Amino acid sequence: MKEQLNSIKDQAEKELSGITSIQELENIRVKYLGKKGELTSVLRGMGALSAEERPIIGQLANEVRSFLEEKLEAAKNELVSKERTARLEKEVIDVTIPGKVKALGKKHPLSIVLDEIKDVFIGMGYEIAEGPEVELDYYNFEALNIPKNHPARDVQDTFYINENMVLRTQTSPVQVRVMEQKKPPIKIICPGRVYRSDAVDATHSPVFHQVEGLVVDKGVTMGDLIGTLQVFAKSLFGENTKIRLRPHHFPFTEPSAEVDVSCWTCGGNGCRVCKGEGWIEILGAGMVHPKVLENCGIDPEVYSGFAFGLGVERTAMGRFNIDDLRLLYENDIRFLKQF
Amino acid sequence: MKVPLNWLNDYVDINVSPKEFADALTLSGSKVEGIEVQGEEISKVVVGKILSVEKHPDADKLQVTKVDIGSEIIQIVTGARNISVGDYIPVALHGSTLPGGKKITKGKLRGVESHGMMCSIAELELTKDDYPEAAEDGIFILDSDLPLGKDIKEVLGLNEKIVEFEITSNRPDCLSMVGIARETAVTFKTPLKKPEIKVKEEGDEASQYASVEIKDSDLCPRYAARIVKDVKIGPSPKWMKDRLKAAGVRPINNIVDITNYVMLELGQPMHAFDLENLQGKKIIVRRANDGEVIKTLDDQERKLDSSMLVIADAEKPVAVAGVMGGANSEVSETTKTILFESANFFGHSVRMTAKKLGMRTEASGRFEKGLDIENVVTAINRAVQLVEELGAGTVCKGVIDCYPIKNQPMNVNFRPEKINALLGTSIEAGEMVEIFKALELEVDEAGSSVKVPSFRPDIEREADLAEEVARFFGYNNIESTLLSGKSSTLGKKSFKQKVEDIVKNTMISCGMSETYTYSFTSPKVFDKINLPADSELRKAVVISNPLGEDYSIMRTTTIPDMLEVISRNYNRRIEEARLFEMSYIYIPESLPVDKLPTEKQVLTMGMYGNADFYDLKGVVEQLFQTLGISSYEFLPEKECLAFHPGRTAKILFNGQKVGMIGEIHPEVAENFEGPERTYVGVIEIEPLVSNANMTAKYRPLPKFPAVSRDIAMLVKDEVMVKQIEDIIKQRSSKILEEVKLFDVYKGKQVPEGMKSVAYSIAFRAEDRTLTDEEVNKVMEKILTGLKDNLGAQLRE
Ligand SMILES: [Zn+2]
């Protein structure tokens, strides 16, 4: 019996070394270890053995069984791993084929700039105020210290609906509406659409967008205005941006300033973008004119404030290197997709 | 305002480069637009005299000349024909440069040496305007007897550096050399030297020659006149012509030039009348009569009305006050006696008159800003001083000065601490006073009030004084601060603004790109979108002075704008586009508009190419989901003629219409030359805001399994899946979890007029595992319902 067991062992080992599939492996398992398998039948004949032989043969039979089981397991593992390797080799894909993208839309460049500006000022404690685009002459002009026969009315090329109603030429009327309704402290920005009767060309549009800011409180100074605009310019155009104020005239602020930022292209050394100046004008600003405060029922002896405004189109064009304003309103999808 | 620096130097010493000058003035409030250096590009061009002219031996069209340039005699070959021996001409020597970067070097022309080039006016960048006698296309023949070899720039007065200023409307005083000089003096802290005005008078009193009467002093508070007799009209001296030219004014004759010179120097426009042509030797300042006519200096007949102020003689208007003189009293070669006018006119009236007549002139542009009433006599004295100095006539004694109501100088409160508080500075009171003094603002002894000179009407209150202090202290020297110590405020977006952001972001995540279109449009678009003639949407806010019909009404619908954008893209051969815009429509309460219209914010969506109704609907449903809006309905919309009657839905929130989406009617698509299958949707933003619910609450995850059943049925074509779903929902009580449509099929195996609809229905109970019997019972109810109500036939 001993020989029988050893020969089973050798034979099974031999057969296992030649197999190529799980099925063959299974056949071998059944052949030797199955209910009717060779090892099983040998074991069944153990009853005929003597009491001395039985434990010895029994032990040997168990050794052969576990040997076979181990071999079977190892062979199986090897087969599985081989088959997996073969499958992986077959499943090679071209990784340079483009991925599956769900196309996203794009935000309009004007919205991108508007949103950035809003974020900067919200971060500084401002709220966003809104007001009508079709506006009363009173709010657009008179309350802002631009009476009926003021020359500034000609300059602004206003669209009129009737004698008392205009398409707002600036977002400043929103400031007046807020000051009428709210007591200081006031800290708002007013983004919005404004209108001037300029013919359409590469730098003009009868419809454009502004963001104006207004702060009214006790003790607000021109230094505060400058500091605020510095923070704003750095946030929008980069940490190294400098600003420069030039005295100017606006009817609704006094003192008034035009504000330049150092050129975003050359950093101030002079280039084509800034026409060699090193500076680019982007803002108008000033201390709220005492007459405007009075018009809104705020005592200029107690309160002071500053206001500023900038053109969104101009800023967007600078930011994105857009050389023709008309592109912003043409909405060619190839243009829109670039931002 | 063009300021020649040599001229300005008469009134203030400028010891810095033009660039430094320009920068400093810009930062103190007089913005420099540009610096022009005359003849900047011209070098080594000198005066020469032609000694001989001979034919070129080998070229018919060339001549060989000998030219004396003072230091030597050089040979020049030229193709010009208009030269002859003895002519004085500009010679560009070897190594010279000309405008446009042109360089001249010696060389051989057809074998003959040439050591330079004779120049035409064009080559020196001069024009016939400057030199009317010069040849258009030949050599520029100069005046004789000029020093040979002299730099042509000196000869032609091309050494001027001209600074161009942009003067703001509140500072007409700076539209003058003296005004700019004053700003310069304060900026550089150097003295201002105003022109010394001394008049040498002779003979009779001016009042014996003429009289002045102001009838409408509301429009003309002051009128001054002077008489000059024995007038000798002729050209002005070279220095004056050069200055005028440098300042951009064309010299005409000595008298006209003097009026222009004084206007530029002192800022006061002036006029000269030929006294012989003034009937009754009278000046009457009055409103015109309606329909009165005057022929102005530019030879145009102008019809006047009673809102306009004129200068008249006893019979007729002789000038439109502050705008332009009349041809009937113009100074001419034969003029013997002149009446000079220097007056102050009410700015608004001049502006309106110039506007009405369509003739904005240099003078009207100045008067409309409001000029210094105290400058009137100074200017007229300056003018006759120049007349006398130039030998252009004899100045009669006295000024006829009509000044009915004297100007009262303005006093403004001055509190240095208030100014510092506004600016955020700590400037000494003394420093402020110094600035005011230099600006000719008088500070009273107490140092608490400032008397404003008549040339600064822009200074009305303390804030204006603060600006003067800040300008010369330097805006950029103010220390920047950040509202420290002021009340803090909370920056945030309102709920509405947040919803707007979500709408935009959802659109973008659905592949839609944002557009911006104009808010005004053409009334023609209503027909283009098949809007019925009686539609409320045709009632639009009309712009009274539009840029043209295409931009003449405020839009009441955004659909045409979206269609135009789509058409533009489509016609540029772009295969597909998905677009959206957040914008406003403007709905008037009544017409004509007397109240502000309602500005309604809308979301407009559009798509074409590789898109169908359900793509657009999916975007909208995605939006509703993101905003937490669950109770909405899409129902067929057949009434809107802009859309395909079978492929359009209105959107309802609780029965209220809030928008619609659909396929554009092929006829409308054609009207816009757009793609045939275009999908457009419009939704109002306000209902989105009021229905949005973004406060998510956690619900426990299910503990028991779901049971899912699939059913397929045949229904008539016209049955809408919503009807099927409604029945499924009604009949399945609380255990229904989800109804999912997974197939709608027509074609093979489905009879004509029918469609096959398949659903996967999921049931689940919160508290137990559902049994088959339970689910079967519900399915039974559903199927009966579908059969009874919709005639559905179950498919296996
Ligand atoms: Zn630059």
Side-chain angles (χ1 to χ4, degrees):
Chain A
M1 253 185 134
K2 206 170 177 182
E3 291 76 40
Q4 223 177 332
L5 283 170
N6 279 332
S7 91
I8 285 172
K9 183 180 160 195
D10 292 344
Q11 203 187 333
E13 198 176 2
K14 208 162 125 202
E15 281 176 29
L16 271 175
S17 69
I19 60 158
T20 55
S21 74
I22 298 277
Q23 190 51 53
E24 286 174 64
L25 182 102
E26 189 56 22
N27 291 345
I28 294 169
R29 197 187 62 79
V30 173
K31 181 175 171 194
Y32 295 99
L33 300 178
K35 279 186 182 158
K36 291 173 182 165
E38 289 181 23
L39 185 64
T40 319
S41 49
V42 170
L43 288 175
R44 230 174 254 141
M46 288 239 311
L49 293 176
S50 65
E52 296 88 58
E53 268 181 322
R54 216 177 279 158
I56 298 164
I57 295 300
Q59 198 192 344
L60 182 64
N62 277 335
E63 274 172 23
V64 171
R65 170 183 284 274
S66 38
F67 174 80
L68 285 183
E69 275 172 351
E70 261 170 48
K71 279 289 168 191
L72 277 165
E73 182 64 22
K76 188 178 170 189
N77 285 344
E78 199 182 328
L79 268 180
V80 166
S81 127
K82 252 193 205 153
E83 267 181 27
R84 188 165 286 157
T85 308
R87 196 186 96 208
L88 294 183
E89 272 167 14
K90 259 204 281 183
E91 286 176 352
V92 170
I93 55 162
D94 179 355
V95 296
T96 65
I97 288 173
K100 294 174 192 166
V101 187
K102 189 166 170 264
L104 292 180
K106 291 292 181 110
K107 211 183 256 184
H108 194 279
L110 291 176
S111 286
I112 296 174
V113 169
L114 269 166
D115 285 352
E116 275 183 41
I117 295 171
K118 287 179 196 168
D119 284 348
V120 172
F121 283 103
I122 285 173
M124 288 197 273
Y126 289 65
E127 283 185 51
I128 302 171
E130 292 159 304
E133 294 172 19
V134 182
E135 182 56 285
L136 294 174
D137 182 284
Y138 174 79
Y139 287 108
N140 194 69
F141 289 124
E142 266 175 68
L144 290 162
N145 198 24
I146 312 172
K148 274 256 146 73
N149 53 21
H150 196 283
R153 292 204 174 202
D154 279 2
V155 180
Q156 293 211 348
D157 302 320
T158 313
F159 287 118
Y160 281 88
I161 304 301
N162 60 37
E163 211 181 309
N164 299 315
M165 213 181 282
V166 300
L167 299 188
R168 66 177 177 196
T169 58
Q170 49 205 1
T171 47
S172 324
V174 183
Q175 300 184 7
V176 178
R177 285 176 177 273
V178 170
M179 282 191 279
E180 276 184 352
Q181 280 159 20
K182 204 173 169 244
K183 286 210 159 62
I186 292 170
K187 244 174 132 180
I188 52 162
I189 56 165
C190 327
R193 193 168 262 223
V194 298
Y195 303 84
R196 292 194 195 168
S197 67
D198 283 322
V200 181
D201 66 24
T203 52
H204 293 90
S205 166
V207 175
F208 58 102
H209 295 77
Q210 280 189 338
V211 179
E212 293 197 9
L214 171 75
V215 172
V216 180
D217 198 357
K218 285 178 185 159
V220 175
T221 71
M222 195 156 164
D224 295 332
L225 167 64
I226 297 172
T228 301
L229 294 179
Q230 269 171 358
V231 171
F232 169 67
K234 281 177 198 287
S235 320
L236 206 61
F237 298 107
E239 197 47 42
N240 295 323
T241 307
K242 290 189 214 43
I243 62 166
R244 176 180 90 162
L245 280 79
R246 287 178 284 103
H248 195 69
H249 169 64
F250 302 113
F252 32 87
T253 50
E254 189 76 26
S256 303
E258 279 185 335
V259 184
D260 302 331
V261 296
S262 51
C263 175
W264 43 73
T265 304
C266 66
N269 300 320
C271 71
R272 213 172 44 85
V273 172
C274 57
K275 299 190 187 82
E277 294 285 318
W279 297 98
I280 296 175
E281 181 201 327
I282 60 150
L283 280 153
M287 302 306 291
V288 182
H289 199 291
K291 274 191 208 161
V292 174
L293 292 175
E294 281 164 6
N295 288 342
C296 300
I298 294 172
D299 184 357
E301 281 293 308
V302 179
Y303 293 100
S304 58
F306 64 71
F308 55 86
L310 88 163
V312 180
E313 275 75 0
R314 209 186 152 83
T315 311
M317 288 171 78
R319 268 287 294 283
F320 299 118
N321 264 335
I322 299 168
D323 55 6
D324 192 327
L325 201 157
R326 285 169 290 206
L327 286 166
L328 294 168
Y329 290 93
E330 258 180 15
N331 303 300
D332 188 310
I333 190 90
R334 295 165 299 184
F335 171 80
L336 299 175
K337 288 276 188 192
Q338 290 181 25
F339 304 96
Chain B
M1 173 79 189
K2 283 182 165 183
V3 176
L5 288 186
N6 283 331
W7 189 351
L8 192 65
N9 240 318
D10 280 5
Y11 319 111
V12 62
D13 292 332
I14 301 165
N15 301 317
V16 295
S17 73
K19 172 88 174 82
E20 287 169 282
F21 169 79
D23 287 348
L25 268 281
T26 295
L27 290 180
S28 68
S30 310
K31 189 182 179 192
V32 171
E33 287 285 272
I35 306 169
E36 178 197 342
V37 179
Q38 279 186 342
E40 193 175 18
E41 296 178 299
I42 300 173
S43 71
K44 288 185 85 176
V45 180
V46 301
V47 177
K49 182 183 177 186
I50 300 174
L51 299 179
S52 67
V53 181
E54 280 162 26
K55 278 194 160 177
H56 189 289
D58 296 321
D60 288 347
K61 292 199 171 158
L62 296 178
Q63 306 190 85
V64 181
T65 65
K66 293 268 192 276
V67 177
D68 185 353
I69 55 162
S71 54
E72 57 178 316
I73 292 166
I74 59 170
Q75 176 171 296
I76 295 175
V77 179
T78 176
R81 310 309 299 182
N82 71 326
I83 48 164
S84 45
V85 173
D87 281 349
Y88 282 70
I89 38 91
V91 180
L93 302 174
H94 170 68
S96 61
T97 55
L98 292 175
K102 200 168 161 189
K103 281 199 168 72
I104 305 300
T105 50
K106 65 182 173 187
K108 281 183 181 172
L109 279 166
R110 290 288 188 102
V112 178
E113 277 196 20
S114 182
H115 290 263
M117 187 184 87
M118 301 181 205
C119 305
S120 67
I121 51 168
E123 277 156 344
L124 295 170
E125 220 169 40
L126 305 170
T127 64
K128 288 278 278 185
D129 261 358
D130 303 321
Y131 299 94
E133 275 109 66
E136 188 84 60
D137 45 20
I139 302 303
F140 180 17
I141 310 295
L142 304 168
D143 294 339
S144 296
D145 299 327
L146 290 166
L148 296 178
K150 188 163 178 156
D151 191 330
I152 196 74
K153 290 195 281 185
E154 278 176 56
V155 172
L156 299 176
L158 288 181
N159 283 321
E160 200 43 283
K161 294 172 190 70
I162 303 154
V163 177
E164 178 149 21
F165 288 94
E166 181 199 308
I167 303 299
T168 51
S169 62
N170 62 328
R171 292 299 303 276
D173 63 302
C174 285
L175 292 170
S176 69
M177 297 303 153
V178 169
I180 292 288
R182 186 181 293 112
E183 289 290 314
T184 307
V186 187
T187 303
F188 290 101
K189 297 193 165 67
T190 54
L192 171 70
K193 301 172 287 183
K194 288 200 222 176
E196 221 176 288
I197 300 173
K198 277 191 218 135
V199 184
K200 242 198 209 162
E201 301 170 321
E202 267 176 55
D204 315 321
E205 288 285 334
S207 53
Q208 291 178 7
Y209 287 82
S211 66
V212 173
E213 183 192 354
I214 300 177
K215 282 217 166 122
D216 291 304
S217 61
D218 57 332
L219 300 186
C220 174
R222 190 174 195 182
Y223 193 105
R226 263 188 179 273
I227 303 295
V228 171
K229 58 179 189 176
D230 307 328
V231 171
K232 292 183 273 297
I233 304 283
S236 311
K238 187 170 175 311
W239 66 266
M240 184 178 272
K241 285 204 266 188
D242 286 346
R243 283 188 168 182
L244 291 175
K245 278 192 276 183
V249 174
R250 193 156 64 93
I252 293 173
N253 62 45
N254 47 5
I255 297 301
V256 175
D257 291 355
I258 285 170
T259 60
N260 283 331
Y261 188 88
V262 173
M263 175 174 76
L264 293 172
E265 184 184 51
L266 299 174
Q268 171 68 44
M270 303 190 63
H271 189 64
F273 296 99
D274 186 334
L275 186 63
E276 301 304 317
N277 295 331
L278 296 182
Q279 292 303 315
K281 307 284 179 258
K282 261 188 172 174
I283 288 285
I284 301 166
V285 187
R286 60 165 170 86
R287 284 181 162 86
N289 301 318
D290 281 325
E292 220 168 356
V293 171
I294 183 173
K295 192 191 227 181
T296 41
L297 282 173
D298 54 3
D299 263 344
Q300 302 268 325
E301 293 268 347
R302 310 278 179 179
K303 209 170 159 199
L304 307 172
D305 67 47
S306 60
S307 74
M308 301 170 178
L309 191 72
V310 294
I311 313 302
D313 62 14
E315 290 176 351
K316 60 185 185 296
V318 293
V320 183
V323 183
M324 197 181 270
N328 53 17
S329 52
E330 191 179 357
V331 173
S332 70
E333 299 289 322
T334 59
T335 299
K336 288 276 161 289
T337 314
I338 281 174
L339 182 144
F340 273 109
E341 162 197 296
S342 177
N344 191 277
F345 301 115
F346 180 49
H348 180 57
S349 152
V350 174
R351 188 164 68 96
M352 295 318 289
T353 302
K355 216 173 154 184
K356 267 192 202 165
L357 295 176
M359 49 186 310
R360 212 167 167 274
T361 59
E362 177 70 35
S364 76
R366 288 165 177 267
F367 278 118
E368 70 179 36
K369 295 183 177 77
L371 295 183
D372 177 11
I373 200 163
E374 303 299 351
N375 201 20
V376 163
V377 169
T378 315
I380 205 164
N381 286 341
R382 177 64 169 160
V384 296
Q385 174 190 14
L386 288 169
V387 166
E388 197 270 328
E389 282 176 10
L390 266 51
T394 307
V395 181
C396 293
K397 280 184 193 153
V399 183
I400 307 169
D401 183 9
C402 245
Y403 190 7
I405 305 151
K406 285 263 173 320
N407 179 55
Q408 292 303 321
M410 177 99 165
N411 284 297
V412 176
N413 263 352
F414 169 41
R415 291 167 296 175
E417 69 285 357
K418 264 280 176 193
I419 290 177
N420 275 324
L422 185 67
L423 300 179
T425 50
S426 42
I427 301 165
E428 299 283 335
E431 197 179 329
M432 296 187 193
V433 171
E434 284 306 309
I435 291 169
F436 295 157
K437 271 190 190 157
L439 286 167
E440 300 178 46
L441 310 181
E442 273 175 54
V443 182
D444 70 351
E445 269 185 39
S448 63
S449 167
V450 168
K451 192 160 109 192
V452 180
S454 54
F455 59 83
R456 289 300 303 274
D458 61 303
I459 297 180
E460 293 176 318
R461 37 200 308 172
E462 211 165 29
D464 302 312
L465 293 180
E467 180 170 82
E468 297 307 294
V469 170
R471 286 203 297 134
F472 296 104
F473 174 75
Y475 276 18
N476 299 295
N477 294 328
I478 296 172
E479 197 191 332
S480 78
T481 47
L482 263 179
L483 291 168
S484 44
K486 275 114 216 176
S487 335
S488 69
T489 47
L490 190 63
K492 63 173 190 314
K493 287 186 180 173
S494 66
F495 183 73
K496 170 181 162 287
Q497 288 157 355
K498 281 182 196 156
V499 169
E500 288 168 9
D501 283 355
I502 291 172
V503 172
K504 272 195 189 186
N505 291 332
T506 308
M507 287 299 123
I508 287 163
S509 66
C510 288
M512 316 277 280
S513 288
E514 190 185 11
T515 67
Y516 272 61
T517 56
Y518 284 175
S519 350
F520 35 56
T521 187
S522 162
K524 285 184 184 142
V525 299
F526 297 136
D527 290 339
K528 280 176 92 176
I529 59 166
N530 286 350
L531 204 63
D534 60 350
S535 167
E536 283 293 308
L537 290 182
R538 285 185 184 259
K539 292 179 184 160
V541 176
V542 180
I543 298 166
S544 68
N545 57 335
L547 280 180
E549 204 207 358
D550 283 354
Y551 299 138
S552 63
I553 57 164
M554 298 305 285
R555 62 182 169 196
T556 55
T557 162
T558 51
I559 292 172
D561 301 292
M562 181 53 81
L563 291 177
E564 253 157 45
V565 171
I566 284 177
S567 159
R568 188 172 303 132
N569 279 283
Y570 175 70
N571 286 306
R572 290 177 180 183
R573 303 187 184 285
I574 295 160
E575 281 173 13
E576 58 178 312
R578 296 183 172 207
L579 304 161
F580 80 97
E581 179 164 352
M582 296 267 280
S583 54
Y584 287 89
I585 52 174
Y586 308 82
I587 310 295
E589 206 163 292
S590 59
L591 286 180
V593 180
D594 58 352
K595 268 192 213 146
L596 290 183
T598 305
E599 298 185 10
K600 211 184 257 186
Q601 198 178 14
V602 292
L603 164 69
T604 313
M605 296 157 288
M607 48 174 75
Y608 75 92
N610 202 13
D612 61 21
F613 176 86
Y614 299 107
D615 285 306
L616 182 55
K617 187 178 175 192
V619 171
V620 174
E621 288 175 312
Q622 178 71 61
L623 175 64
F624 292 163
Q625 201 190 340
T626 313
L627 290 171
I629 298 172
S630 51
S631 56
Y632 57 82
E633 280 179 294
F634 287 85
L635 292 178
E637 165 71 71
K638 299 185 192 302
E639 307 306 316
C640 185
L641 303 178
F643 286 89
H644 188 309
R647 296 186 168 189
T648 301
K650 55 186 164 202
I651 303 166
L652 308 176
F653 285 0
N654 307 315
Q656 199 74 32
K657 183 173 169 184
V658 299
M660 58 190 295
I661 61 168
E663 184 175 314
I664 289 299
H665 197 287
E667 195 177 300
V668 173
E670 216 173 275
N671 290 344
F672 283 88
E673 291 165 32
E676 202 189 333
R677 304 271 183 212
T678 299
Y679 299 89
V680 169
V682 181
I683 300 176
E684 289 176 27
I685 299 295
E686 198 282 321
L688 292 181
V689 175
S690 52
N691 286 280
N693 178 5
M694 292 168 296
T695 50
K697 285 260 164 60
Y698 160 75
R699 270 176 310 156
L701 302 179
K703 290 195 185 72
F704 299 93
V707 178
S708 163
R709 294 289 161 89
D710 291 355
I711 53 167
M713 70 200 92
L714 283 176
V715 290
K716 283 192 185 135
D717 259 350
E718 57 266 29
V719 172
M720 291 184 293
V721 296
K722 182 177 186 302
Q723 294 173 282
I724 299 171
E725 279 162 32
D726 283 348
I727 287 174
I728 296 173
K729 283 176 193 161
Q730 279 165 25
R731 302 271 167 141
S732 52
S733 74
K734 267 165 51 184
I735 60 168
L736 179 72
E737 185 175 65
E738 195 187 18
V739 187
K740 214 155 107 191
L741 177 72
F742 68 81
D743 189 37
V744 179
Y745 174 76
K746 286 169 73 165
K748 260 190 216 164
Q749 291 162 8
V750 176
E752 190 64 23
M754 305 283 277
K755 59 185 172 188
S756 156
V757 181
Y759 278 97
S760 167
I761 308 172
F763 302 95
R764 194 199 299 268
E766 268 177 44
D767 53 354
R768 64 189 189 280
T769 302
L770 290 170
T771 62
D772 269 354
E773 295 83 76
E774 239 179 313
V775 174
N776 289 346
K777 237 191 231 165
V778 172
M779 282 305 291
E780 198 60 42
K781 271 164 76 185
I782 291 174
L783 295 173
T784 325
L786 292 171
K787 221 177 277 174
D788 294 352
N789 291 288
L790 303 174
Q793 308 163 27
L794 207 63
R795 294 183 92 201
E796 285 311 321

